[in-house]
Amino acid sequence: MRIALGCDHGGFPLKQRIVALVQAAGHEVVDCGTDSACSVDYPDYALKVGEKILSGAADRGVLLCGSGVGISVAANKIPGIRAGICHDTYSAHQGVEHDDMNVICLGARIVGEELAVELVAAFLKAQFTHEERHVRRLNKVLEIEREALEGKFKRN
Ligand code: RB5
């Protein structure tokens, strides 16, 4: 697979280990930056990774920030992106198997390098099951997304 990898300065300390893991697992890294520990804005990198997936330039994504929170919130604003923070290996594979998660988000200030590598490895190995109940639930998620795009949900 082609894996879009993006991070802010908070996620940058994990970046090279994740690049090495993705490549060692036989996948291609689509590098979306950032390339240093200089302060940047995490939504910019969530958008870059989301665009790669939507354009077909990448199959899945990995996003890294300090906590994993900001970058997952930003990524989930992009229709078609299903991003989850996964700081345990069960969620890292189950999120793909049940929920068709296409982006994993990690907090580099929360997980160490060795756990991060195991999390991304579990994410990369997992496949959506296509079981009826999971497809039904995914379709409900996609329907919420469609309705939001049509302007159904208004905040007072
Ligand atoms: C950057 O300092 C930090 O706020 C960011 O990496 C992330 O943790 C936000 O959720």
Side-chain angles (χ1 to χ4, degrees), residues 8-10 42 65-67 69-70 109:
D8 73 353
H9 55 288
Y42 62 78
C65 73
S67 64
V69 175
R109 296 174 186 160

Side-chain angles (χ1 to χ4, degrees), residues 92-136:
H93 65 82
Q94 194 252 20
V96 177
E97 291 159 357
H98 290 198
D99 312 321
D100 205 18
M101 173 175 74
N102 52 13
V103 176
I104 188 170
C105 303
L106 306 180
R109 296 174 186 160
I110 312 300
V111 295
E113 279 189 18
E114 301 310 321
L115 177 55
V117 161
E118 291 193 14
L119 295 167
V120 175
F123 169 70
L124 295 176
K125 279 190 212 140
Q127 296 295 330
F128 184 52
T129 65
H130 291 279
E131 286 172 27
E132 191 278 333
R133 68 188 189 285
H134 300 314
V135 171
R136 183 179 70 242

Side-chain angles (χ1 to χ4, degrees), residues 44-124:
D44 299 338
Y45 298 90
L47 184 58
K48 287 175 197 281
V49 164
E51 284 175 337
K52 291 291 184 196
I53 294 170
L54 296 186
S55 72
D59 303 292
R60 293 189 196 172
V62 177
L63 284 170
L64 314 169
C65 73
S67 64
V69 175
I71 213 153
S72 68
V73 169
N76 279 310
K77 298 295 180 192
I78 304 168
I81 299 305
R82 292 177 293 282
I85 302 180
C86 299
H87 288 164
D88 66 276
T89 53
Y90 178 76
S91 303
H93 65 82
Q94 194 252 20
V96 177
E97 291 159 357
H98 290 198
D99 312 321
D100 205 18
M101 173 175 74
N102 52 13
V103 176
I104 188 170
C105 303
L106 306 180
R109 296 174 186 160
I110 312 300
V111 295
E113 279 189 18
E114 301 310 321
L115 177 55
V117 161
E118 291 193 14
L119 295 167
V120 175
F123 169 70
L124 295 176

Side-chain angles (χ1 to χ4, degrees), residues 1-37:
M1 291 188 290
R2 288 156 307 163
I3 307 300
L5 174 60
C7 64
D8 73 353
H9 55 288
F12 183 71
L14 276 182
K15 181 177 175 180
Q16 284 317 314
R17 274 304 294 275
I18 301 303
V19 168
L21 175 274
V22 170
Q23 291 173 339
H27 304 288
E28 181 189 333
V29 173
V30 179
D31 188 346
C32 296
T34 190
D35 301 315
S36 79

